[in-house]
Structure formats: C-alpha cells, structure tokens
Amino acid sequence: MTVVYQSPCFDVELVVKKLEEDELPYQVSIRSTKNPLGTGNTLGAYPTEEEAVRKTGMLCSFYSKARENGYYLRSGSFVKPDRNDIPVSLVLDGDLTGEQLDSLVMQ
C-alpha cells in the first residue's frame, strides 16, 4: 500500500491509497487528524488515481457543507437527528451535480 494523495478536510484527512493487487487499486479513505498514523476507514475504490483524487475533492466539499449544516459522518453515512441519512456512496458514486448534493443537506 502506498499513499498517493492526502488532503485535509474540515476536521479529518482524506487519503488516496494505491493497493498493488486490487482490481480497483485506488482507495479513498477518511482518517482522524487526531490519529494521523491510523489507516482510516475506506469509503470507495476506483480504477485510476485521477478519479480517486477527483472524488476526494467532491467528498471534501460535501463533507464541509454537511458539517456546517449539522451532519456528521457515522458508519458510511452522513447523519443528523430527525433527517434521513445520506450514504457516502451517494456522494462518491452518484451522478448528482454539486447543486444537487448541496440540496441534500439544505433540506
């Protein structure tokens, strides 16, 4: 495993790791800035580094907007009391525009 990209995002760090023997070798993970030596939690996997890095940018933008609106990340979903959970997979792999993603947390 090799870390090919790291990006601070709100109160976490998003990391793209390359795994040599995997069909989708580029994994997007999230880890706490309080434990930078941890491996973090994998949120998605992609065939190219470029796609994985692009997805981290989308995720960071959404994560920041979600946090500003009272959501937090728990077990692969953005959650907020009295609201429907928003799966991370919807953000990373859905065909939603930036405006559509923003509207998910503004409802």
Side-chain angles (χ1 to χ4, degrees), residues 62 71 86 90 96 99-107:
F62 183 81
Y71 285 83
I86 304 167
L90 178 65
L96 301 176
E99 292 169 351
Q100 289 170 321
L101 289 171
D102 288 348
S103 73
L104 290 174
V105 295
M106 303 299 275
Q107 298 175 357

Side-chain angles (χ1 to χ4, degrees), residues 15-82:
V15 179
V16 175
K17 299 180 271 187
K18 182 177 182 188
L19 305 175
E20 298 302 326
E21 58 282 331
D22 224 277
E23 183 179 323
L24 296 173
Y26 294 93
Q27 290 187 345
V28 174
S29 299
I30 189 169
R31 68 180 176 196
S32 170
T33 55
K34 295 176 184 172
N35 185 15
L37 298 178
T39 58
N41 297 322
T42 301
L43 301 174
Y46 303 94
T48 67
E49 181 179 346
E50 294 78 21
E51 184 175 5
V53 169
R54 184 174 58 80
K55 296 291 185 171
T56 61
M58 288 174 49
L59 181 60
C60 183
S61 177
F62 183 81
Y63 182 74
S64 296
K65 178 76 72 175
R67 288 295 304 242
E68 290 169 5
N69 286 281
Y71 285 83
Y72 59 94
L73 188 60
R74 182 182 70 202
S75 300
S77 292
F78 294 97
V79 297
K80 180 178 178 179
D82 301 323

